[in-house]
Amino acid sequence: MSALPNCPKCNSEYTYEDGMMYVCPECAHEWSQDAAADAAEDERVIKDSNGNVLQDGDTVTVIKDLKVKGSSLVVKVGTKVKNIRLCDGDHDIDCKIDGIGAMKLKSEFVKKA
């Protein structure tokens, strides 16, 4: 017998199958078996401009001059950014750049160093 997944809403381990659905008896949450399989395979992978997979803590290099919105500052080509953090959204890299401060970058404008 295969182990059933925990409830995605309350993380209860007492889920059971009801036809093509999983049901949680503690919070009454129902979800399809297909959705459970997709959730396991659908972890977001963030890649740089060359297709290398990025991870938290990586060091990246900026490949294009980037204007800082609301300022006259520019992040120059070749700027190294250390210890990045990946996040959700359009700008998927959260980082701190020396001389500029905290900002978010798009992964398409960096390459892994």
Side-chain angles (χ1 to χ4, degrees), residues 35-99:
D38 290 343
E41 298 173 4
D42 194 32
E43 289 189 29
R44 187 167 178 212
V45 176
I46 297 175
K47 296 183 178 182
D48 69 356
S49 61
N50 295 333
N52 298 319
V53 177
L54 297 173
Q55 297 178 347
D56 286 343
D58 281 348
T59 299
V60 295
T61 305
V62 177
I63 62 167
K64 176 182 175 184
D65 281 347
L66 302 173
K67 295 179 183 177
V68 178
K69 191 171 184 177
S71 171
S72 61
L73 299 174
V74 175
V75 179
K76 296 285 188 181
V77 171
T79 302
K80 283 199 174 197
V81 181
K82 298 179 184 176
N83 199 18
I84 64 170
R85 291 175 305 281
L86 302 179
C87 56
D88 293 331
D90 188 29
H91 293 73
D92 43 16
I93 297 175
D94 193 17
C95 62
K96 189 173 188 180
I97 299 177
D98 293 336

Side-chain angles (χ1 to χ4, degrees), residues 1-4 15 17:
M1 182 173 160
S2 65
L4 297 175
T15 58
E17 291 181 84

Side-chain angles (χ1 to χ4, degrees), residues 19-41:
M20 292 300 294
M21 302 288 284
Y22 289 127
V23 180
C24 175
E26 292 184 1
C27 69
H29 180 66
E30 297 182 4
W31 68 101
S32 69
Q33 292 179 3
D34 293 335
D38 290 343
E41 298 173 4

